Amino acid sequence: MPSKPMTGQAFFVLTALADGPRHGYGIVGEVDELSGGRVKLKIGSLYGVLERLTAEGLIEPDREEAHDGRLRRYYRLTRNGQRALAEEAELRAATARVVRARLDLAGTEAAG
């Protein structure tokens, strides 16, 4: 399991891999789509995230394929990665519920 809080970039990279292996450019595009363009990954920062997630045992290389003379490495979630993603998703959902409740309360008090 991760030793530090999960960053937004890591969360979206894991989410991008939740439905199957992807290569670097595929991950970048999927993260952009999943986040509605809010999380921008550049290839340089992507590989730093991939290295960290691999070191934490949350993802692993799946395969390598040649494409236009270049080697593409595909990554996939590990079981620990699936667990960490599910836990982080629940934490973020619970946090959102608390924030919404506070905002609703503040709106009610302001109207009263």
Side-chain angles (χ1 to χ4, degrees):
M1 288 296 164
S3 55
K4 299 189 296 189
M6 191 177 292
T7 66
Q9 288 182 338
F11 178 74
F12 279 104
V13 167
L14 293 177
T15 303
L17 296 173
D19 62 352
R22 284 193 165 72
H23 58 79
Y25 285 107
I27 293 170
V28 168
E30 189 70 9
V31 165
D32 185 60
E33 186 176 323
L34 289 167
S35 71
R38 292 183 311 274
V39 176
K40 299 288 187 194
L41 275 175
K42 295 188 177 175
I43 289 298
S45 60
L46 169 69
Y47 286 105
V49 174
L50 293 175
E51 286 177 18
R52 186 169 48 81
L53 293 174
T54 299
E56 292 174 354
L58 303 181
I59 65 171
E60 61 190 6
D62 180 67
R63 67 185 183 279
E64 292 182 345
E65 292 180 357
H67 180 76
D68 291 334
R70 300 182 79 176
L71 203 56
R72 284 184 172 174
R73 179 174 287 156
Y74 286 71
Y75 293 87
R76 68 173 173 249
L77 282 180
T78 62
R79 287 187 187 187
N80 282 342
Q82 291 171 342
R83 251 189 312 275
L85 179 58
E87 289 172 7
E88 184 68 17
E90 181 52 41
L91 174 64
R92 288 175 182 234
T95 301
R97 287 190 295 273
V98 168
V99 170
R100 283 189 203 106
R102 291 264 174 131
L103 289 172
D104 289 346
L105 180 62
T108 302
E109 290 176 356

